[in-house]
Amino acid sequence: MGKKVVSILTTSHFDAEGKRCVYGGAERYGIELTKMFLESGWEVNWWQAGLGWSKQLLPGVTIQGIPVKDSFAQTCSSLNQAFYEQADRVDLAIYFVTFLCYPLTLPKSIAISHGIFWDYPSWESRIGGHLQGDEWYHRMEKALSSPGKVVSVDTATINWATWHWPAMLPRFEYIPNFVDTSYFHPLPENKKDDKIRIVFPRRLTTVRGIGEAMEAAKIITEKYTGVEFHFVGRGHDYQHERQMMRWAAQSNNFFYYWRSPMGMKEIYQHMDICLIPSKSTEGTSLSCLEAMACGLPVIAGNIGGLPDLIIHNHNGLLIKPSAENLVESIKQLIENKEERQQLGEHARNTALMFDISIWKERWKSVIQSVIGEEV
Amino acid sequence: MSLYAMMPVYNEADRYLKHVLNHLSDFVNRIVILDDGSTDRTPKLCRSYDKVIYYRNEHRTFERNEPALRRQLWEHTVELKPDWILAIDADEVFEERAKVEFATLLDETEYSVVDFRLFDFWKSNKYRIDCGWNPWVKNHRMLVKYDPSITSTWSERLLHGGRFPQQYYDIPYAFQSDLRVKHFGWMDIHDRQRKYDFYIERLPDNKHTQSIIDPDEKVQLEEWIPCKTLQFLSK
Amino acid sequence: MQQKIVCLTRHLLDRRGTQIQDSIFLSWLEMFMRILEEFDLELEVWQEGNGWTKDLPGMFKIHSVPDPSRDLTLPNVNQAMWEHSSEAVFAIYADPLLVYPQSVPVSIALGHYIPSLDLINNEFVEHQRKSWLAKLRQGLSTVDYVIVNHTPYIQWALASFPGVYHKIIHIPDCLHPLSTSDSQIEKQSGENEVRLIFACPALPQFGVSETIRAVDSLIDRFDYLKFYFHGAIPKPLEKQMAGWFDKRPRCFLKTDQPRFQFGDVVVFPVKRGPVPVFLVQQAMACGSAVVGSMWGPLVDLIIHQYNGFFIKPLDEEIYASAARLVRDIELRERICNHALETSKTLKHETWKKRWRTLIFELVGRRSIHI
């Protein structure tokens, strides 16, 4: 018997020319998913929109760039149809983003929702106004109703979708994101000084609460001179990065730099508090999980998948991410070392429940329910 | 993880070489140098550093065939089987914090190539940002994890063919490091004129070449933004 | 003279005013009244009903007004309350739909659950759904604040009606002060048995049928499992339920309050509807492993497989999660310990402090309108 084959359709793992990969959370998810299939003896191939190239995603895994270009109503229906025509005879199809299931879906299929991304005020204008918004809903409904299962990284998406379309509930499977807890772990007490270091480990974007975090940093460091703020993440463009670099240069307490995903470990290990003050577009954030796995108490926004990871005052703080609330919460943790450490300990314990091994098992059982045999 | 720097040199003794070698000695294991026929004190200076492994061509190759020179340097370097290779020139240094933070890049398991932003200094604390000089938008591949299984081929372009074999440019997962590189090669007005003369002969219609000798009012400069070192990482 | 606060709700008592219909909201009001007393404020409740007025001794007066509306708004009751609220300090609308058609000058709406628009009326058509959504949006944006007791509500509002974020205040519920004494009693597990509890009324919205079917298979499989049913049972179901329990010697039909410290696993397979948040909290505070739906306040209380289990309210999911917890003592103990630990965060003092701050502000706002 030959190997089982899975085809995964995504929008853009690589850029259209296939030259570069901006390696963010979704790309990491894709790589881990691919590795899981390879470990289980499957053959994996990927498809995306691209200028007609074919290349290696991982050893033995090809990715094809299908030369289509359209994103009407924030969906990609010609990409979907090209995939439907070309990716025949697979044992399983995975639609890496839910809207890629529109309009056609292969018989045995799973779609993935990485979290709600239509929850910021300018979404409607971004999508092209009210009418395209209605069209997007229509397509979203079709897309969510057609695959065998929809894997959601958080409960928020399931809540939202089943509020709109109650009958979809059985189709959803909640598989929160993962963290490798043997790689991301706390260091035994390693402090060389008595500074308190606070990390903002995200992209410098408004939805991640960068403005509020910077404002809080200013207020806190005026009062607590031994506190450092580390902004660790890239901007969407170089102007943001340059601006941030200048901003950080003003004060001895502010730092700006970035690391690769795996390189974040040693940063977390030297920090005391982590800020994930997202305002929208958030799932079960990998950064949040990694910080928790390294034993950091996280001060998180009360939206998206973050409530799936954090219980207020138990393993972190869950707040409406205004600058004032951030200041209050940071103060609380600066002044109560014991509480800070206790939250961090609970954070580590919580992260163990999101270990990548558990994530793989959950995925295997969903695949099994779709293809009808053991993975 | 071992890190070897590789560097071509030519009559660098009175330029930045000493500074560069002092700098590299702080965080690389070895510095493989290919001297392209220097006629000044360069050989002596190179040999005075413990970490330097020195090779020499008697006749200058760069002006005729840069890729051949780069290739020769690469082959000398990979003979030593390093884990990582840093391709750097004798007028380039990383910002100060690299001394402490460079090691982090070498622990990387997900990336095998690293790109950097390179800032062309025009004055002692200012770099050029207009048009093709904008350092923020370009990535320079300077660090690769050596993979003996790759069969190397080199670009045939005689100029700017790249510091590594072509295959290392085809790797799509590149990490763009936040460590900035200071490039001093344009800072001295005589260097600028010399390079201009060299390039105008080979690329006469190239706008970028012409912009080398732009009058001051056309040149946009930006002040270097200092970045603090993460002291907690110092071993 | 005591100043008053008015509260508009749907059916705290039933239409005829003879029995309690919304026990979840009633326990919330019970707790809330204690804070109003600190401000010397009196509560008056308005609801749908056939025109009676009742005094709940020691609590508040309830007025009822008939309202045939079938889209979960109550324009008649809303209007009647408005007419009688000229001297009210502020109004509380039990959900944003009740703000339609108009709100008193200073007002808040509560966000305790989100009705799904396909489930509220069997005869709804598209334009009615649209108009209903408009009323909902109006409600969210008209009041001064929407006070939500769970974060999924915030996310729902953000994703459905962008631009209302500034209106939303999150005040999670605390462990009900009247139930805490109960949870002080130490956990008492059976020697050689595992006890499964269902503590909600026997109504479809609480997943009673799914639970009964799952329990049927569970007791077949585990001969050391006992099942305790503690919820209220509607009259028409009494006989049928009693018959079911009679045939199953390890299943017990109880009429008293649930004793969570005698339970190991407690199931809350709540469908779209209010979550009995105090019961869930109490179960966790007594160190039970909660198996609950992944919405409403449960999302903020439970981290999947850390201190409880998230399920969809379906037979097979109740069965699978309960079976895992029954079988795996180590897992159950870990989850119970974490549940106990996390329930300590639900402090009554914190809840009171947040409400006090808010009420103080609302009282101040009222003075602007005078």
Side-chain angles (χ1 to χ4, degrees):
Chain A
M1 206 177 76
K3 280 185 170 184
K4 289 206 174 302
V5 184
V6 57
S7 280
I8 306 178
L9 176 65
T10 188
T11 49
S12 51
H13 187 85
F14 294 110
D15 66 354
E17 284 164 356
K19 292 265 164 59
R20 286 190 67 82
C21 168
V22 178
Y23 197 58
E27 289 70 27
R28 291 169 68 198
Y29 194 107
I31 294 291
E32 291 303 337
L33 192 64
T34 305
K35 285 185 190 161
M36 181 199 69
F37 277 109
L38 295 176
E39 283 162 16
S40 311
W42 285 58
E43 185 185 319
V44 188
N45 55 65
W46 281 71
W47 303 72
Q48 72 158 73
L51 307 174
W53 41 260
S54 169
K55 59 193 305 157
Q56 273 211 347
L57 182 111
L58 283 177
V61 179
T62 56
I63 177 162
Q64 314 277 341
I66 308 178
V68 290
K69 220 177 159 185
D70 99 272
S71 60
F72 182 75
Q74 297 279 321
T75 51
C76 304
S77 62
S78 36
L79 176 62
N80 164 289
Q81 288 167 67
F83 175 70
Y84 186 84
E85 292 303 321
Q86 293 173 42
D88 56 357
R89 280 198 230 155
V90 292
D91 299 284
L92 177 68
I94 291 187
Y95 294 85
F96 199 65
V97 191
T98 45
F99 61 72
L100 289 175
C101 288
Y102 175 85
L104 298 170
T105 310
L106 287 169
K108 293 193 170 171
S109 55
I110 300 173
I112 304 173
S113 161
H114 298 276
I116 290 176
F117 55 85
W118 50 92
D119 56 346
Y120 54 97
S122 52
W123 161 253
E124 196 169 275
S125 65
R126 169 161 178 192
I127 197 172
H130 179 66
L131 286 178
Q132 286 223 10
D134 283 353
E135 180 58 22
W136 179 81
Y137 271 96
H138 168 81
R139 293 180 179 206
M140 195 66 169
E141 180 180 5
K142 297 253 154 130
L144 289 173
S145 333
S146 52
K149 287 279 179 194
V150 180
V151 165
S152 175
V153 303
D154 61 17
T155 62
T157 313
I158 301 178
N159 267 300
W160 180 86
T162 56
W163 176 74
H164 274 284
W165 307 293
M168 277 180 196
L169 180 62
R171 186 177 296 284
F172 275 99
E173 294 294 341
Y174 167 53
I175 303 184
N177 278 336
F178 53 81
V179 54
D180 182 344
T181 55
S182 58
Y183 180 81
F184 288 97
H185 60 83
L187 283 184
E189 186 65 41
N190 65 334
K191 277 251 158 139
K192 295 174 194 156
D193 52 33
D194 56 0
K195 284 196 186 307
I196 290 182
R197 297 193 171 86
I198 300 173
V199 62
F200 174 94
R202 304 305 296 270
R203 275 191 170 262
L204 312 176
T205 58
T206 54
V207 293
R208 298 278 164 259
I210 178 68
E212 289 80 356
M214 285 163 76
E215 181 64 23
K218 267 196 280 182
I219 298 169
I220 289 286
T221 50
E222 272 168 26
K223 180 163 181 209
Y224 302 94
T225 49
V227 172
E228 285 180 3
F229 278 83
H230 293 252
F231 291 83
V232 190
R234 304 211 56 179
H236 267 320
D237 58 41
Y238 75 86
Q239 276 101 337
H240 289 142
E241 292 173 354
R242 179 167 60 182
Q243 202 184 336
M244 197 65 193
M245 225 177 250
R246 282 217 181 95
W247 183 81
Q250 302 163 36
S251 159
N252 284 330
N253 303 77
F254 303 159
F255 291 78
Y256 173 58
Y257 49 94
W258 66 79
R259 284 291 183 276
S260 70
M262 298 313 255
M264 283 305 294
K265 171 171 84 168
E266 70 173 355
I267 302 301
Y268 290 132
Q269 287 176 335
H270 288 88
M271 297 289 148
D272 300 283
I273 298 167
C274 176
L275 309 180
I276 313 268
S278 295
K279 293 189 284 189
S280 63
T281 337
E282 189 63 275
T284 35
S285 149
L286 294 176
S287 314
C288 184
L289 282 166
E290 286 158 4
M292 290 169 79
C294 291
L296 293 187
V298 178
I299 300 174
N302 54 12
I303 52 105
L306 296 172
D308 292 333
L309 309 179
I310 289 180
I311 291 178
H312 187 62
N313 279 328
H314 173 71
N315 58 358
L317 302 177
L318 208 54
I319 59 163
K320 183 172 184 171
S322 64
E324 295 93 317
N325 288 348
L326 274 172
V327 168
E328 275 311 301
S329 315
I330 293 169
K331 272 190 191 163
Q332 181 186 335
L333 297 189
I334 289 175
E335 286 176 5
N336 301 298
K337 185 177 180 190
E338 207 176 305
E339 181 189 350
R340 192 168 76 226
Q341 287 173 341
Q342 174 99 76
L343 294 183
E345 233 170 77
H346 288 157
R348 167 72 190 170
N349 287 339
T350 313
L352 295 175
M353 292 301 110
F354 296 85
D355 187 71
I356 189 154
S357 58
I358 298 175
W359 178 81
K360 286 181 181 169
E361 288 314 309
R362 288 175 178 159
W363 254 103
K364 284 178 189 166
S365 105
V366 172
I367 295 165
Q368 188 180 336
S369 74
V370 171
I371 64 168
E373 40 187 302
E374 213 163 305
V375 179
Chain B
M1 282 287 167
S2 63
L3 169 64
Y4 284 28
M6 58 174 193
M7 188 192 322
V9 295
Y10 176 73
N11 288 350
E12 314 282 353
D14 297 323
R15 298 180 73 236
Y16 310 96
L17 184 61
K18 197 173 168 193
H19 180 42
V20 171
L21 291 175
N22 284 338
H23 169 70
L24 288 176
S25 297
D26 281 336
F27 64 91
V28 307
N29 300 93
R30 285 303 179 95
I31 307 163
V32 182
I33 288 181
L34 177 54
D35 186 340
D36 197 28
S38 293
T39 52
D40 67 352
R41 289 176 298 109
T42 297
K44 196 175 168 211
L45 183 59
C46 292
R47 288 196 169 108
S48 69
Y49 286 82
D50 293 345
K51 291 190 173 176
V52 167
I53 301 169
Y54 179 84
Y55 297 92
R56 181 177 167 85
N57 288 339
E58 283 316 314
H59 302 289
R60 194 156 190 220
T61 313
F62 179 83
E63 292 187 327
R64 285 176 292 115
N65 189 347
E66 186 185 337
L69 179 75
R70 295 278 181 190
R71 178 179 198 150
Q72 202 188 347
L73 176 58
W74 167 262
E75 279 163 4
H76 284 312
T77 310
V78 301
E79 264 175 29
L80 305 167
K81 299 197 169 35
D83 294 316
W84 288 88
I85 300 172
L86 172 69
I88 194 162
D89 285 352
D91 49 11
E92 294 169 345
V93 293
F94 284 88
E95 60 183 309
E96 187 58 25
R97 65 197 183 98
K99 211 195 293 186
V100 169
E101 296 178 41
F102 205 92
T104 303
L105 293 171
L106 311 180
D107 292 334
E108 195 53 67
T109 51
E110 301 206 319
Y111 294 102
S112 54
V113 291
V114 183
D115 296 350
F116 298 89
R117 281 177 176 151
L118 198 134
F119 293 73
D120 295 309
F121 275 69
W122 224 250
K123 288 184 177 166
S124 68
N125 201 35
K126 287 183 175 177
Y127 47 82
R128 191 163 175 185
I129 56 166
D130 54 302
C131 304
W133 299 91
N134 186 347
W136 298 96
V137 295
K138 286 180 295 182
N139 299 309
H140 297 262
R141 192 147 298 180
M142 289 174 65
L143 179 67
V144 304
K145 194 182 254 181
Y146 171 54
D147 179 355
S149 71
I150 292 178
T151 316
S152 303
T153 51
W154 288 76
S155 158
E156 288 179 4
R157 289 172 60 185
L158 287 183
L159 285 172
H160 306 307
R163 299 177 183 195
F164 298 106
Q166 200 50 47
Q167 288 70 18
Y168 288 88
Y169 291 95
D170 293 339
I171 296 172
Y173 299 105
F175 177 58
Q176 194 185 10
S177 170
D178 58 346
L179 294 173
R180 292 166 297 170
V181 181
K182 297 177 172 183
H183 176 223
F184 298 125
W186 304 102
M187 206 157 73
D188 184 314
I189 196 158
H190 303 103
D191 282 343
R192 292 212 277 272
Q193 190 62 49
R194 191 171 45 78
K195 288 193 190 184
Y196 173 78
D197 295 342
F198 174 81
Y199 286 117
I200 202 74
E201 202 178 296
R202 290 159 178 88
L203 302 165
D205 299 323
N206 184 289
K207 270 195 182 156
H208 192 65
T209 307
Q210 285 163 3
S211 72
I212 297 173
I213 51 156
D214 272 344
D216 281 357
E217 64 272 17
K218 281 184 82 176
V219 173
Q220 275 183 52
L221 301 181
E222 185 172 271
E223 192 150 337
W224 176 255
I225 309 166
C227 261
K228 295 173 281 289
T229 302
L230 298 178
Q231 294 300 351
F232 57 77
L233 293 182
S234 53
K235 298 273 150 54
Chain C
M1 203 188 92
Q2 241 188 344
Q3 287 189 295
K4 84 173 175 184
I5 304 294
V6 288
C7 171
L8 174 50
T9 178
R10 212 161 273 118
H11 286 114
L12 196 58
L13 305 186
D14 66 339
R15 282 213 74 210
R16 288 173 300 143
T18 51
Q19 56 179 337
I20 295 163
Q21 181 159 333
D22 190 350
S23 55
I24 299 173
F25 191 50
L26 185 63
S27 8
W28 189 86
L29 281 177
E30 222 177 335
M31 192 164 82
F32 185 66
M33 274 187 47
R34 307 282 165 249
I35 302 187
L36 292 181
E37 280 164 11
E38 292 177 20
F39 284 82
D40 200 23
L41 293 167
E42 179 193 28
L43 184 69
E44 182 182 286
V45 176
W46 291 75
Q47 74 155 63
E48 205 278 331
N50 49 17
W52 45 263
T53 289
K54 288 205 176 234
D55 215 343
L56 291 192
M59 293 188 73
F60 42 74
K61 196 178 267 183
I62 314 181
H63 302 286
S64 75
V65 177
D67 201 320
S69 159
R70 295 192 61 204
D71 65 354
L72 295 183
T73 64
L74 295 175
N76 293 353
V77 193
N78 175 293
Q79 180 64 16
M81 184 177 95
W82 195 87
E83 293 295 348
H84 290 88
S85 307
S86 55
E87 80 284 20
V89 181
F90 64 89
I92 301 172
Y93 296 91
D95 76 56
L97 281 164
L98 300 174
V99 181
Y100 176 82
Q102 70 174 332
S103 102
V104 302
V106 180
S107 60
I108 56 172
L110 300 179
H112 286 187
Y113 87 105
I114 311 150
S116 186
L117 77 175
D118 283 305
L119 299 177
I120 55 175
N121 187 321
N122 296 337
E123 289 166 14
F124 251 25
V125 292
E126 185 60 16
H127 78 269
Q128 286 164 313
R129 271 195 285 275
K130 285 220 160 116
S131 119
W132 184 81
L133 280 174
K135 290 173 187 173
L136 184 53
R137 181 174 209 149
Q138 186 198 330
L140 287 166
S141 44
T142 307
V143 291
D144 292 290
Y145 295 113
V146 181
I147 318 302
V148 304
N149 69 348
H150 59 293
T151 61
Y153 200 105
I154 303 175
Q155 182 62 69
W156 165 80
L158 281 180
S160 310
F161 305 108
V164 296
Y165 195 27
H166 65 292
K167 292 265 180 188
I168 298 178
I169 296 177
H170 177 218
I171 305 186
D173 287 320
C174 60
L175 200 53
H176 200 292
L178 299 179
S179 69
T180 42
S181 55
D182 207 34
S183 61
Q184 304 303 320
I185 305 171
E186 210 169 298
K187 175 114 191 133
Q188 301 179 7
S189 282
E191 279 279 304
N192 295 312
E193 58 182 49
V194 178
R195 297 159 185 159
L196 181 74
I197 293 183
F198 181 89
C200 298
L203 294 170
Q205 71 195 72
F206 296 108
V208 63
S209 320
E210 289 83 353
T211 304
I212 291 286
R213 289 193 292 262
V215 165
D216 231 349
S217 316
L218 284 165
I219 50 167
D220 265 356
R221 175 153 168 214
F222 302 103
D223 57 11
Y224 52 95
L225 178 71
K226 286 185 174 172
F227 174 59
Y228 294 83
F229 188 98
H230 278 277
I233 297 173
K235 274 244 160 350
L237 272 182
E238 272 174 5
K239 214 170 150 196
Q240 195 191 343
M241 288 286 276
W244 190 89
F245 280 90
D246 281 347
K247 276 188 233 137
R248 291 163 180 82
R250 280 181 288 118
C251 296
F252 306 93
L253 191 55
K254 298 283 192 184
T255 47
D256 56 346
Q257 287 295 309
R259 316 273 287 170
F260 292 121
Q261 61 275 25
F262 295 105
D264 299 294
V265 180
V266 186
V267 290
F268 291 98
V270 185
K271 294 184 209 161
R272 286 276 164 198
V275 169
V277 57
F278 297 122
L279 287 177
V280 179
Q281 291 178 341
Q282 202 187 335
M284 291 174 75
C286 291
S288 308
V290 165
V291 173
S293 306
M294 53 181 92
W295 43 65
L298 283 156
V299 170
D300 296 326
L301 297 172
I302 289 178
I303 291 175
H304 187 44
Q305 296 192 11
Y306 173 72
N307 63 345
F309 268 73
F310 276 148
I311 50 155
K312 291 171 274 181
L314 307 170
D315 305 8
E316 61 272 24
E317 298 221 352
I318 301 170
Y319 174 84
S321 303
R324 255 191 88 181
L325 287 164
V326 170
R327 214 172 44 220
D328 190 339
I329 302 175
E330 212 176 297
L331 173 75
R332 193 169 71 232
E333 275 177 3
R334 196 185 67 217
I335 286 193
C336 291
N337 286 338
H338 284 156
L340 195 63
E341 192 67 37
T342 47
S343 70
K344 289 181 191 155
T345 62
L346 311 162
K347 294 198 179 87
H348 190 208
E349 260 322 303
T350 317
W351 185 85
K352 283 200 284 194
K353 201 174 129 201
R354 295 171 112 166
W355 270 106
R356 273 190 209 119
T357 313
L358 177 65
I359 292 170
F360 189 75
E361 188 195 326
L362 293 171
V363 170
R365 276 183 187 237
R366 172 63 187 165
S367 61
I368 301 170
H369 285 272
I370 292 170

